[in-house]
Amino acid sequence: MKRKTLYFFAWCLLLLSSCTAKDARQASYDDVVRYCDGKIHLTMSQMSCHDSMPRNLQGDATAWNLRANTPMEWCSGFWDGCLWYDYALTGDTDVLQAATETASSMLYLSNAPLFDHDLGFLTITSLLNGYRLSPDSLTQSVYREALLSCADSLALLFNPKVGTLLSWPRNVEIFGGHNTIMDNMINLELLFWAAAETGRQDLFEMAVSHADTTMAYHFRPDGTCYHVAVYDPQSGAHLRNCTHQGYADESVWARGQAWAIYGYTMVYRYTHAERHLLMAEKAADAYLRLLNAQTGVSHEPSASSDYVPYWDFCDPAIPNAPKDASAACVVMSALLELQQYADEAKADEYKKAIDKTFASLVADYRTADTCPAILAHSTGHHPAGSEIDYSIIYADYYFLEALYRMKIR
Ligand code: GLY
């Protein structure tokens, strides 16, 4: 055979194999979307009203444990968010109707007394997603008004002396001051969004101040973060760092680290300030370093391929400690955005981490056919003995968000 003909056949083979690999990836993505859509429909069939929302379930239970839809229940918006993303992924109009009805049940928040920083989680997941994904402009404008009013309400938690939002007004005495938790970074999106919609510089500056102050006092030099920072509410002085949901004050609570990565990536989307991008990358690099060390040191062959963190990277019970799929989902969704801002080498590293996380979740964290949750094995509040190794609604929410980000990127 002539050399030219050989080259031609080799090129055809290469093309064929790369097409097959791409098709296989696409097929697995489509299968996962179908799997999630099945779970969403199963949950929809179990929901009779919006007074309460799915929160968690244990093992392969066939129904969610519900919690009352109130400002005190920080997870109330996630189910609506799951519906919005499922609608965006499938175009199913039954799901759109369910998403719209559920969002209506969140509108009361615009007139409700402010409870705490979780007003951001409650409204970003439900109304802000609805504002972005609903095809109906009238519905969008109703959500917009409610969101702007909620942003004003959230801004009341800002202490200008400290430079951050107070996370838990009810816990000022317990913590001995103005407490700010890493989770609070997520809620800044409501302020940034409202500032961008209205041109309100005050809201923008509050959010930037919160991000910068948190950057100064909430991180260790290696990029890992504390869960809580406590400040003197009068002088604004930083008093101490501690944990609430992690193993110890100096440990690395996996979901706290995930909130940091997600938070600074989102902040950079609005500020375009290099320091925020660098913070997001530093937090992500610390997480991946710990995760790689964790999988690398394990002697169990199955654990070495599991790219989902233990609930706290420092729990001495590892490898017999529970995992936290929710942290993996938050990070996967964040990295899908961060890789767009990062340079080529880092983007490549993040892409590999996304692929490994996705593969682990799909292989080992799906639930039984009769279970309405998408993913198993999350950990909510380990020190309180609550939701250890459960399916939790926010894991499903960030998993669906990641699928949506994969679709639009
Ligand atoms: N925001 C509470 C948590 O991450 O559990």
Side-chain angles (χ1 to χ4, degrees):
M1 215 182 290
K2 281 197 175 140
R3 182 178 290 190
K4 245 184 175 170
T5 322
L6 265 176
Y7 278 148
F8 175 74
F9 277 122
W11 181 81
C12 285
L13 264 177
L14 199 71
L15 191 72
L16 195 69
S17 66
S18 85
C19 284
T20 318
K22 205 171 156 218
D23 291 348
R25 268 204 306 277
Q26 183 61 37
S28 114
Y29 173 84
D30 292 345
D31 287 346
V32 174
V33 170
R34 260 193 298 280
Y35 163 82
C36 293
D37 186 46
K39 300 295 188 180
I40 294 293
H41 279 272
L42 192 50
T43 304
M44 273 165 60
S45 72
Q46 296 178 355
M47 299 293 295
S48 55
C49 69
H50 306 295
D51 294 347
S52 50
M53 301 285 186
R55 165 76 191 233
N56 62 40
L57 62 84
Q58 196 170 19
D60 274 323
T62 53
W64 287 97
N65 296 314
L66 306 179
R67 294 265 177 93
N69 177 8
T70 76
M72 284 169 276
E73 170 47 53
W74 78 280
C75 292
S76 288
F78 288 115
W79 166 236
D80 195 29
C82 288
L83 289 165
W84 285 118
Y85 282 131
D86 190 63
Y87 164 64
L89 288 163
T90 63
D92 184 329
T93 49
D94 289 343
V95 178
L96 170 62
Q97 193 184 332
T100 312
E101 282 171 18
T102 312
S104 300
S105 76
M106 306 301 290
L107 289 169
Y108 80 96
L109 287 166
S110 63
N111 295 310
L114 176 65
F115 181 64
D116 68 12
H117 75 122
D118 287 327
L119 183 58
F121 273 106
L122 290 167
T123 52
I124 291 162
T125 50
S126 56
L127 302 175
L128 187 52
N129 278 322
Y131 176 72
R132 288 170 175 155
L133 298 171
S134 165
D136 180 63
S137 58
L138 213 61
T139 307
Q140 286 175 347
S141 67
V142 172
Y143 298 164
R144 184 181 183 277
E145 287 317 301
L147 285 160
L148 292 177
S149 154
C150 288
D152 275 337
S153 189
L154 183 65
L156 297 173
L157 293 172
F158 187 73
N159 177 329
K161 282 278 184 210
V162 175
T164 70
L165 303 175
L166 172 64
S167 297
W168 293 317
R170 64 190 176 284
N171 287 347
V172 167
E173 255 177 53
I174 297 172
F175 283 104
H178 173 105
N179 56 77
T180 298
I181 62 172
M182 187 49 76
D183 327 25
N184 205 148
M185 286 299 300
I186 307 303
N187 301 317
L188 301 184
E189 184 168 2
L190 184 59
L191 301 183
F192 278 124
W193 171 85
E197 280 292 310
T198 59
R200 289 263 305 274
Q201 194 59 19
D202 58 331
L203 296 179
F204 181 82
E205 280 166 11
M206 271 179 214
V208 171
S209 165
H210 184 112
D212 287 341
T213 308
T214 299
M215 215 156 89
Y217 296 113
H218 232 115
F219 286 89
R220 304 180 185 93
D222 66 358
T224 61
C225 68
Y226 293 97
H227 185 200
V228 187
V230 184
Y231 304 89
D232 182 317
Q234 267 79 44
S235 70
H238 173 245
L239 300 176
R240 66 192 178 94
N241 293 106
C242 56
T243 197
H244 182 64
Q245 278 166 263
Y247 175 76
D249 291 346
E250 288 300 330
S251 74
V252 183
W253 176 46
R255 198 165 56 255
Q257 194 67 23
W259 294 139
I261 302 165
Y262 192 109
Y264 282 95
T265 303
M266 175 276 298
V267 169
Y268 178 73
R269 187 199 313 155
Y270 286 98
T271 65
H272 305 294
E274 198 189 9
R275 65 186 186 283
H276 296 140
L277 175 60
L278 293 177
M279 188 68 252
E281 291 180 347
K282 194 169 175 182
D285 296 349
Y287 171 91
L288 294 176
R289 205 168 47 243
L290 288 168
L291 192 59
N292 287 331
Q294 174 187 291
T295 53
V297 292
S298 172
H299 299 297
E300 293 172 51
S302 62
S304 65
S305 59
D306 186 3
Y307 222 59
V308 171
Y310 292 101
W311 75 282
D312 190 303
F313 285 105
C314 307
D315 184 343
I318 291 172
N320 298 314
K323 294 273 179 162
D324 184 11
S326 78
C329 294
V330 173
V331 173
M332 181 166 70
S333 182
L335 292 182
L336 278 155
E337 180 172 6
L338 187 55
Q339 67 165 4
Q340 296 172 5
Y341 309 140
D343 67 26
E344 215 178 310
K346 274 207 182 297
D348 195 46
E349 200 185 316
Y350 296 155
K351 192 183 168 322
K352 285 188 184 121
I354 292 162
D355 289 348
K356 284 197 249 179
T357 307
F358 183 70
S360 287
L361 290 168
V362 169
D364 297 324
Y365 289 78
R366 280 185 289 174
T367 62
D369 288 352
T370 49
C371 172
I374 294 172
L375 295 174
H377 308 309
S378 289
T379 296
H381 194 334
H382 194 290
S386 164
E387 298 177 315
I388 299 173
D389 197 19
Y390 269 60
S391 287
I392 308 182
I393 190 70
Y394 45 84
D396 291 4
Y397 170 84
Y398 286 102
F399 187 69
L400 285 165
E401 182 177 84
L403 290 178
Y404 175 67
R405 289 179 171 187
M406 288 174 192
K407 178 184 160 113
I408 59 166
R409 77 179 171 186

